[in-house]
Amino acid sequence: MHHIHAHDEDLGRPVTLSLSRCAAMSRTTKLVSLLIITILILFIDPSHSYTDSFLYGGCSQLKYAPGSPYEWNVNSLLTSLVNSATYSAYNKFTVVASSPQDVVYGLFQCRGDLSMPECAACVAHAVSRLGSVCSHTCGGVVQLQGCYAKYDNDTFLGVEDKTEVLKRCGPSDGYDADLMGRRDVVLASLASAGGPYRVGGSGKVVGITQCVGDLSAGQCQDCVAEAIRRLKGECGTGVYGDIFLAKCYARYSTNGAQLFSKANDGGKSRDRGTKTFAIIVGLLGGVALLIIFLTFMRKVFQGGGK
């Protein structure tokens, strides 16, 4: 018997989802959960939108045995990430098992400017990446342009981590004092702003920072300050720069927001996201009806057996 304990950021209260009221229904529910992810991957536009483009990913060296309790828990966790992204831009989960080595921790987060349909589509893509790139590994992380997803068997929730995982610096097209001055002003305003998602601009210069939602306000401020310090120091006078730390990132562009914005997608990603969102909602409703039907039939057969 195990449960998923989730904290719903929108509702602001703990949520406990039972995954095994009995052994038979536990297996049925898990198989249906796997089916949800499989169908979502098949329905999502394979051409991808800009927000689904890959930035970085990584997998733990430890692997779990196929068919093990840990595998079931990982599948349950990943399904919960996809489901939760249909109504929340961030959520964290812990799958508690009878054995400590089978406990799984995970979370997802979408960029602050994404709509719910875009968020749901992005997280579904991220989870599909985790399932393929980190097959049978005890932990994995994927960062796409529009969202982030991670799971592991060691707790990382609420733990600040300023390890640098990605750096991209643009070329220096001659020193432009005005552009660099604007960049420094934008980054300074982001450093002094509050909240996990921050965006600012001056002319063609645009900057963006974001912390993973499990950090406290103080941890977020510390992480963002470090990311901005490294961004300015390591990218110098580059026309753009990206620094991703394990729990936050800082980015800027001196030529508008096209480097990390959905604006240049012509609205196509929003249209695809809306269609995908409708598919997800329909699937979840169908799966709910299927589970209710299976439960009813099981009771009928149990009654007949008596």
Side-chain angles (χ1 to χ4, degrees), residues 21 23 39 59 66 77 80-81 109 136 147 203 207 211 225 236 238 245 256 259:
R21 295 182 180 177
I39 297 177
C59 312
L77 174 73
S80 296
L81 299 186
Q109 175 166 282
H136 297 107
C147 62
C211 297
L245 307 184
L259 292 175

Side-chain angles (χ1 to χ4, degrees), residues 62-99:
L62 292 176
K63 293 197 171 186
Y64 57 80
S68 64
Y70 191 81
E71 180 177 32
W72 286 116
N73 292 346
V74 169
N75 290 334
S76 296
L77 174 73
L78 296 181
T79 303
S80 296
L81 299 186
V82 175
N83 291 348
S84 184
T86 63
Y87 63 86
S88 176
Y90 160 77
N91 219 336
K92 59 184 178 181
F93 296 86
T94 298
V95 180
V96 180
S98 57
S99 178

Side-chain angles (χ1 to χ4, degrees), residues 45 47-53 125 265 268-270 272:
D45 189 341
S47 64
H48 301 288
S49 68
Y50 180 72
T51 54
D52 301 326
S53 58
H125 276 297
D265 201 28
K268 295 179 181 179
S269 65
R270 182 176 294 274
R272 284 194 293 266

Side-chain angles (χ1 to χ4, degrees), residues 163-179:
T163 303
E164 187 173 303
V165 292
L166 176 67
K167 177 181 73 174
R168 300 192 308 184
C169 299
S172 298
D173 292 345
Y175 180 74
D176 188 319
D178 178 62
L179 281 180

